[in-house]
Amino acid sequence: MEKYLLAIDQGTTSSRAILFATTGEAIAIGRYAYEQHYPADGWVEHEPEDIWRTTLRSCQDAISRADLDVGSIAAIGITNQRETTVLWHRKTGKAVHRAIVWQDRRTAEFCDNLQRNLIAEGNPDWIQEKTGLLPDPYFSASKLAWLLENVPGAREEAEAGNLAFGTVDCFLLWHLTGGKVHATDASNASRTMLFNIHTQNWDDELLSRFNIPDSILPEVKNSADDFGSTDARLFGRKIPITAMIGDQQSATVGQGCLSTGMTKSTYGTGSFLLMNTGEKAIQSDHRLLTTVAYRLQGKTSYALEGSIFMAGATMQWLRDKLRLFDDTAQSEALARQAQPGLPVMMVPAFTGLGAPWWDADARAAIYGLTRDAGIPELVAAALMSVCFQTKDLQKAMESDGLRPTTLRVDGGMSANNLMLQNLADLLGCEVSRPKITETTALGAAFLAGLHCGLFNSLGDIESLWQQDRAFTPTKDKDWRDHHYNRWLDAIARTRSQHGRGS
Ligand SMILES: Nc1ncnc2c1ncn2[C@@H]1O[C@H](COP(=O)(O)OP(=O)(O)O)[C@@H](O)[C@H]1O
Ligand SMILES: O=P(O)(O)OC[C@H](O)CO
C-alpha cells in the first residue's frame, strides 16, 4: 500500500493540514482561518479552542478529500506558529486564558525592566548567552509570567501541578493524544526563553528569574521522535506522531536548507529569515537570534534568524482596515501602477519593530505623501517595506560576517512577483522560489517520514527541492544605497517619535 504523510501547519491566521505523497506532492489539503482578538493596543490573542477545532477539522477534511484508507497515513508531523503561549488544565484540557500570540506586546515594560536589571548587574548578555534570544515580549517566557501573575488562581494551580504550559505544537499534541502526551521539540523550546540552547535543557536560573514552576513544563524531544499516537476516535484509528518543529525551522527543512550557509526567508503574516549554521550556535553581535534549527537523534543544528513582525499582515491591514482591495493578490497589479521612484515610504511598526531594532514601543508611520499619491503608491510602499526589512537582516548578517549568496523564499506572500523582483534588486542577490511553496508543511512531513523510515537521510529532501522561478537583480549599488538610506531615515524618524534613536 502506498504510504502518505500528514502535516499539520498551525499558523497565525489559519490552521492547515496537508497530505503528502513521499514524492513531496500535496495530495489533499484542509484549511480553516480563525479569529484574531485584539483586546488592547499591542495585545493579540487566539482562542485555544479555535486553534484545536480548526486543526482537527483541517485534518479530517484533508483525509476525506484524499479519499484514502487512514491506515495508509504512515505518520503525522506538526509544525506551528512559534512562541504563542498556552496554559491549560491537565484534567480538562481547557485553557486558563486565551493564548497570548507571538505578536503580543503587553510585556514590553516587563522586558525593558529585565534588560535594565541585567545591565545593572553587569550581565547584559545573560539571556542571549543562554537562549540565543534577546529580551523582548515576542518570546514565551514573559507571556507565561504574565498569565501566572494575572489569571486569578493560575499560580496556585500551577504550583499544585494542575496546569500544563506549552507552545502550540505541545497544546495540539496534548489534544491529539487525548491528553496523554505533554511534550515539545527542541526547536519550539528554543523560542520560549526558558531553554538553554547549549545544554539542551530547561534552565533553572531562567525559570527562577521568570518565576516559572518547572511542574508546568513539557518534556523536550528531538524534532523527529516518537511523540505518541492520535486518539483512535479522532480519525478512525491511531496514527503515530513522529515530528514536531517550529514553522520557520520547518520551512528551512522544507526548502532543503540543510547545509551550513543555506538561507531561506518565509513571507507569511510576519517574515523570518534563517541561515543554517550547522553544529555551531553563532551568537550575533548585531541583534539577530540564535535558534535551534532542528535536533535529530540528539544532534542539534542551529540557525541564525532575523524575525520581522509585519509582512503579509501589512497587506491584510491595507485590505481590512483601509479597504484598498478585496484580495491581497490584487496588491501586485495595484503596485505596478505606482509612480516610479518609490516616493512613499511605510514603516510597518504596527506591533513594534523586530530584528534588528527590537523596539516594542515603535508604531507605524507613512512618509512622503503628496497630493498625487494614491492607492498604488501606498500599496507599493507596503510591499517595499517587506523588502527593506529583509535588507536590514541582510546587513546585520553581513556585519556578523555571514553573507547568503542565494535566498530561497516561500510563504503566501512569495506569490507576489513584483515583491520578489524588488527584493532581488534591493538585496543585490538572487531570490529563488521553489515549485512547492508549502515548504513549512513539507518540512514537518519530511521529518515525520524520516523518523518512521520512509526516508533514509536528510539528503533525500534536498533532491525533492525544485525551483519555480529565480529573480535576479536588475539595479546597481547606487540605487540600492539610495533607497536603503531613505529607509534608514524613515526608521530613525519613526523611532524618535517615542524617544528612541536608531
Ligand atoms: N499575492 C500576494 N501579495 C501580497 N501578499 C500576499 C499575497 N498572497 C498572500 N499574501 C499575504 O500572505 C499572508 C498569508 O501567507 P501564509 O503563508 O498563509 O501566512 P501564515 O502562515 O502566517 O498564516 C497573508 O498575510 C496575505 O496578506
Ligand atoms: O504563523 P506564521 O507563519 O506567521 O509564523 C509565525 C512565527 O512562527 C512566529 O515566530
Side-chain angles (χ1 to χ4, degrees), residues 9-16 31 34 36 81 102 247-248 266-270 272 311-317 319 325 327-332 383 410-417 419 437-438 440:
D9 177 5
Q10 206 299 313
T12 312
T13 56
S14 72
S15 303
R16 283 181 287 247
R31 180 180 188 276
Y34 61 98
Q36 311 287 310
Q81 54 167 323
W102 58 276
D247 58 7
Q248 302 310 320
T266 299
Y267 297 94
T269 305
F272 303 88
T314 307
M315 309 317 290
Q316 289 170 0
W317 179 75
R319 182 193 61 196
F325 41 76
D327 184 336
T328 49
Q330 294 167 278
S331 61
E332 179 169 348
L383 290 176
D410 56 75
M413 215 180 171
S414 70
N416 193 308
N417 292 325
M419 200 275 280
T437 48
E438 289 289 359
T440 303

Side-chain angles (χ1 to χ4, degrees), residues 35-312:
E35 200 178 344
Q36 311 287 310
H37 300 271
Y38 306 106
D41 173 29
W43 293 32
V44 189
E45 297 179 349
H46 290 159
E47 197 57 71
E49 189 56 32
D50 288 348
I51 290 179
W52 166 233
R53 193 177 37 83
T54 52
T55 299
L56 180 61
R57 282 168 62 196
S58 304
C59 292
Q60 289 166 337
D61 283 4
I63 293 171
S64 74
R65 279 178 193 144
D67 196 22
L68 46 72
D69 175 359
V70 176
S72 67
I73 303 175
I76 292 179
I78 302 173
T79 183
N80 54 289
Q81 54 167 323
R82 307 165 304 166
E83 300 95 14
T84 298
T85 301
V86 197
L87 189 61
W88 68 92
H89 290 279
R90 288 184 186 275
K91 256 199 190 133
T92 60
K94 289 262 175 284
V96 304
H97 189 273
R98 281 193 194 136
I100 304 186
V101 177
W102 58 276
Q103 296 159 313
D104 191 289
R105 316 262 88 202
R106 78 187 62 183
T107 56
E109 198 182 325
F110 176 100
C111 293
D112 279 349
N113 288 338
L114 171 64
Q115 184 59 19
R116 257 196 297 277
N117 291 341
L118 291 173
I119 291 169
E121 291 162 23
N123 227 345
D125 300 331
W126 188 72
I127 298 236
Q128 191 185 12
E129 281 163 7
K130 282 173 179 286
T131 65
L133 311 175
L134 299 162
D136 188 89
Y138 176 26
F139 308 102
S140 315
S142 66
K143 300 179 195 293
L144 180 54
W146 187 94
L147 287 172
L148 290 171
E149 282 317 302
N150 291 281
V151 176
R155 180 162 298 283
E156 294 72 28
E157 289 273 37
E159 266 152 19
N162 297 333
L163 300 185
F165 151 73
T167 42
V168 167
D169 55 313
C170 178
F171 176 71
L172 289 177
L173 182 70
W174 177 277
H175 282 275
L176 284 165
T177 59
K180 287 206 175 75
V181 186
H182 185 211
T184 187
D185 89 298
S187 73
N188 274 294
S190 76
R191 312 298 296 186
T192 59
M193 202 173 261
L194 299 170
F195 186 71
N196 187 314
I197 59 170
H198 308 289
T199 65
Q200 292 288 303
N201 286 310
W202 297 117
D203 188 290
D204 288 338
E205 290 177 338
L206 286 166
L207 291 172
S208 116
R209 188 107 203 178
F210 287 96
N211 199 11
I212 310 286
D214 61 4
S215 60
I216 65 174
L217 298 173
E219 179 189 355
V220 182
K221 300 179 86 115
N222 295 318
S223 309
D225 214 323
D226 182 1
F227 289 95
S229 295
T230 56
D231 185 323
R233 285 166 297 186
L234 298 176
F235 308 117
R237 63 189 291 172
K238 290 181 172 190
I239 309 173
I241 301 163
T242 57
M244 299 219 296
I245 181 165
D247 58 7
Q248 302 310 320
Q249 290 92 332
S250 190
T252 307
V253 174
Q255 282 274 29
C257 293
L258 301 164
S259 37
T260 307
M262 292 187 79
T263 308
K264 73 89 204 178
S265 191
T266 299
Y267 297 94
T269 305
S271 169
F272 303 88
L273 187 145
L274 271 78
M275 177 188 277
N276 192 324
T277 62
E279 289 172 40
K280 244 194 184 161
I282 295 177
Q283 187 172 314
S284 171
D285 293 326
H286 298 88
R287 294 190 277 183
L288 298 172
L289 309 173
T290 312
T291 202
V292 172
Y294 39 85
R295 196 176 86 193
L296 299 174
Q297 296 180 326
K299 197 173 134 208
T300 306
S301 293
Y302 295 90
L304 203 60
E305 170 173 330
S307 323
I308 299 168
F309 299 148
M310 296 288 291

